Amino acid sequence: MAGPRYKRTEPEPRDEPVPVTLPHVVMDIAPNGRMTVTVDGTPYEPEPFAPAWRREDFARVLDQLTAQHRSPLRVEVHETDGTTFTDIITPSTRRRPQPEPAPTPPPSRRVMPELVTLHAEGFVPGEDVGIAIVIAHGDAAPDGTMRALLTAEQANASPTREIVLLGRVSGTLTIGHPK
């Protein structure tokens, strides 16, 4: 009888085992609904100038993190009553169907939006000026003036119809009602 066709070898010893780890996401919910998020102990913050995370951002945060890490996440949620929930969240493997593009009207039928204007002075030339509700930013003109152009729909988003211009460098603050 012939010997085996292959030779069995022992695995090479390793100095230490290679651990399998998942990114560890911790979400702490405050009594006011505000949520802090850390990934492996490092704070995960919203985009600059975006509002702080809230409980209702839970799914959006997890979608962002699974897309960013492209791996499952170990998630712990610490509730205000002291309870803790732990789960493994996996990235979605299904592709979302692309929505059909909305038909655009012919160019001759397009209606230009009604614009409203707010004019203010006292800004540092070229400074970035916030236009609050804050829906946009504009640059101050070389003479330090600012002209904010908004659609009527944007201006009507404010129940008081107040628009705030805030110079991020000069600190100039103007509150006005566009015409």
Side-chain angles (χ1 to χ4, degrees):
M1 176 177 223
R5 299 170 90 177
Y6 59 89
K7 182 179 177 186
R8 183 175 194 170
T9 59
E10 293 298 318
E12 292 183 24
R14 295 181 186 236
D15 292 334
E16 55 187 82
V18 177
V20 176
T21 60
L22 299 176
H24 184 209
V25 178
V26 177
M27 299 174 151
D28 290 305
I29 311 295
N32 65 0
R34 187 176 174 145
M35 179 173 67
T36 58
V37 181
T38 61
V39 179
D40 294 328
T42 303
Y44 182 72
E45 302 286 341
E47 294 291 320
F49 307 112
W53 297 126
R54 299 205 41 85
R55 174 188 293 280
E56 49 271 12
D57 297 317
F58 180 86
R60 184 167 48 103
V61 170
L62 290 178
D63 285 346
Q64 289 175 2
L65 289 171
T66 55
Q68 179 181 348
H69 289 276
R70 294 187 179 145
S71 72
L73 306 171
R74 186 175 70 142
V75 179
E76 279 183 36
V77 179
H78 301 165
E79 292 287 348
T80 58
D81 64 1
T83 57
T84 299
F85 299 95
T86 304
D87 201 354
I88 303 294
I89 305 296
T90 57
S92 176
T93 55
R94 60 184 164 93
R95 292 207 181 268
R96 295 181 184 158
Q98 293 293 331
E100 292 292 321
T104 56
S108 61
R109 292 183 148 189
R110 283 197 182 155
V111 177
M112 293 301 292
E114 177 187 350
L115 298 178
V116 293
T117 302
L118 180 62
H119 185 81
E121 298 176 355
F123 298 101
V124 173
E127 84 173 287
D128 186 284
V129 178
I131 303 168
I133 309 171
V134 177
I135 57 172
H137 285 114
D139 293 332
D143 64 355
T145 61
M146 170 61 187
R147 186 172 140 231
L149 291 176
L150 307 169
T151 65
E153 181 181 359
Q154 291 169 325
N156 290 335
S158 168
T160 62
R161 293 212 22 101
E162 284 185 326
I163 305 298
V164 177
L165 301 179
L166 173 63
R168 298 198 186 260
V169 175
S170 66
T172 299
L173 176 69
T174 300
I175 301 173
H177 298 280
K179 297 174 176 116

